Amino acid sequence: MSVQYQAITWSRQKKVYDVLLASGAAGFLGLFVAAGAVTHPEATAETLLIRALGTCAFVMLHLILCIGPLCRLDKRFLPLLYNRRHMGVTMFLTAAAHGVFSIIQFHSSGDENPLVSLLSSNTRVNSLSAFPFQQLGLLALLILFLMAATSHDFWLHTLTPPVWKRLHMLVYAAYGLLVAHVAFGALQSAASVWPAVLTGAGLTIVAGLHLAAGIHERRRDSPLPARTHDGFVAACEFDAIPEGRATVAMIGAERVAIFKHEGKPYAISNVCAHQNGPLGEGRTIDGCVTCPWHGYQFRPDTGMSPPPFQDRVPAYRCRVDSGKVWVHPQPVRHDG
Amino acid sequence: MTDEFYVGYVPRQTAAQARFTRTAVTVAALLAAGLAWTLAAWRAPFDNSRFEFGVYRDYTGTLAAHPVPSLLAEGQRILLVAEGKHGANSLAARFDQRNVGIRGALIEHDGIRMLEILPSIEPLGGPVVAPREQDLGSVTLTGEIADSKCHLGVMNPGRGKVHRDCAVRCLSGGVPATFLARDETGARRILLLTGARPPLDHVAEPVTITGRLTRWDQLTTLRAESIEPVRE
Ligand code: FES
């Protein structure tokens, strides 16, 4: 079984990514603590560390959430996406350190179990100014833990990609909880409005990029009307597809990537079996459609990964008629 | 469309792609550095307080268990608390109105002193010094309740919303409460709240307290008769 996970080894790019990631996080923490100590010499070290860890994790989460839509808008951002899971796990560890230090600082050495204290010392959910923000952070941390713990491809295969993807969509719930955690916590006691303005700007950028990427993709989908012939649907102009590349078209309710490979059309699902990457933005390499996100490969005619891999995406029958590619909306069944 | 295609598992990116990646990473790093510095600098408020963590000093004087544990040493009244989020009430009760030797770490804010004491209190002889007390009358003040230990310096900031849960834990553990209020001149004053433990639900948020002010050596205490949350 393990053979499936050996395809992506610790490549040079992955190593460079990890080194940059680790030094970026360490640099952020160091700079934050140094800036805090210089501008507020009366602040205690624990406070600076807790703030640095929380801020670092929150900034990293913004970066993580922006990389996806940035890649959909411009493929040149793909190197940032390739190893995003390591950034996710680093972000979780940073957030967890923030949580653990906060629990020690605010809840330990008292007359109550620290976890009980965390859940019980503020129950003012009906008040805006006193709203319990720490529990929001705890909830977000639990979600991030679930995601970090299942981030390996083992879990992707065990849980199946749709379930895994749905689980990992919870990152948006975690983000929402963390915005509230910051708003009801740090922002309420900040001395200036600028941290609130920055948090708002972060939220706007994340939402705006997702919106822009959605609009961009919708525009790029082939605009041909759904004309049918023999059950086949007109998908796109054949000549408009560059060799080795694809055009994406809506066929029924599915986004289908129509590739031109060695002068012939092939149609497979646009959704990669790995993590739903956009196969239509990939290209054929060694006769296989190669996903732009992490390089999973699929045969254009069957949608199957080359042996020994067993991943597959739906493949569709298609043909060229009067300059157009016609695709049958019913995926072909390939058994075995 | 350029025909460049990025694949993460090949060892090197193409030159153009590598240039783009370098630019993107540099922009992200500069942005993050700017954020780290600015947010660290903006995140006030801090108090002018201190805690000599791990530095123990010896004090001798007359211990008083009421209204809150304190030691009158060389004319100055020093508040006493235990380690962690605990008050020193039970320890102090055993030595009420007796001369003692005490070791502790100093906590200080705006001239108000407190000791986080070690549990070994040594009874001493000699004449007991009586407190100087003076009734300052009835007042109604608006401010914020905190726990004295954190507020006076163990944490900084040791008050406000973020610190709220910690203050609840400390007050629940018997640490005396402080009331940070503005007097009629608008100046900030730290008063020591005495009497029943304040309602934990209204810690670290605006409340109006009506009560009796007392001068207690160089400290000012407020014995609350009513505590009302200020409506949002
Ligand atoms: S989404 Fe990861 S390889 Fe396609």
Side-chain angles (χ1 to χ4, degrees), chain B residues 80-215:
Chain B
L80 305 177
V81 283
E83 286 171 304
K85 296 177 172 58
H86 297 282
N89 302 318
S90 51
L91 204 57
R94 304 215 305 266
F95 299 93
D96 191 23
Q97 297 307 319
R98 289 169 68 181
N99 283 339
V100 293
I102 281 184
R103 292 205 103 188
L106 190 66
I107 302 160
E108 190 167 19
H109 186 172
D110 281 354
I112 304 177
R113 293 182 146 201
M114 175 179 260
L115 277 185
E116 181 190 79
I117 57 171
L118 296 178
S120 52
I121 297 182
E122 189 193 346
L124 301 173
V128 169
V129 185
R132 281 172 291 131
E133 284 179 297
Q134 183 192 353
D135 183 14
L136 300 176
S138 234
V139 287
T140 298
L141 295 168
T142 296
E144 168 191 339
I145 297 170
D147 72 281
S148 55
K149 187 174 180 182
C150 292
H151 184 191
L152 295 180
V154 168
M155 289 195 191
N156 196 355
R159 58 188 172 84
K161 172 82 184 272
V162 173
H163 181 262
R164 176 193 173 109
D165 287 19
C166 180
V168 166
R169 203 70 290 125
C170 284
L171 293 175
S172 164
V175 172
T178 46
F179 187 52
L180 178 67
R182 295 204 182 266
D183 63 17
E184 42 314 326
T185 66
R188 286 157 83 98
R189 289 182 62 184
I190 300 175
L191 306 171
L192 195 62
L193 271 184
T194 58
R197 190 183 74 187
L200 297 182
D201 250 6
H202 296 295
V203 169
E205 60 185 272
V207 289
T208 300
I209 300 185
T210 301
R212 252 194 131 69
L213 273 187
T214 305
R215 185 101 201 138

Side-chain angles (χ1 to χ4, degrees), chain A residues 4 18 27 32 35 70 81 95 98 118 125 193 196 204 217 240 296 320 336:
Chain A
Q4 297 204 4
D18 285 350
F32 191 102
L70 278 176
L81 183 112
H98 166 79
L118 173 61
V125 285
V193 297
T204 312
E217 262 168 11
Y296 268 43
V320 183

Side-chain angles (χ1 to χ4, degrees), chain A residues 13 51 111 124 127 184, chain B residues 6 43 161 172 205 232:
Chain A
Q13 292 199 41
R51 289 180 176 188
D111 59 348
R124 296 283 308 283
S127 158
F184 285 116
Chain B
Y6 170 78
R43 292 275 296 272
K161 172 82 184 272
S172 164
E205 60 185 272
E232 279 178 25

Side-chain angles (χ1 to χ4, degrees), chain A residues 8 85 272-279 291-298:
Chain A
I8 300 169
R85 276 191 273 182
C272 178
H274 180 221
Q275 281 180 34
N276 298 3
L279 287 178
C291 177
W293 280 14
H294 313 90
Y296 268 43
Q297 290 192 308
F298 306 93

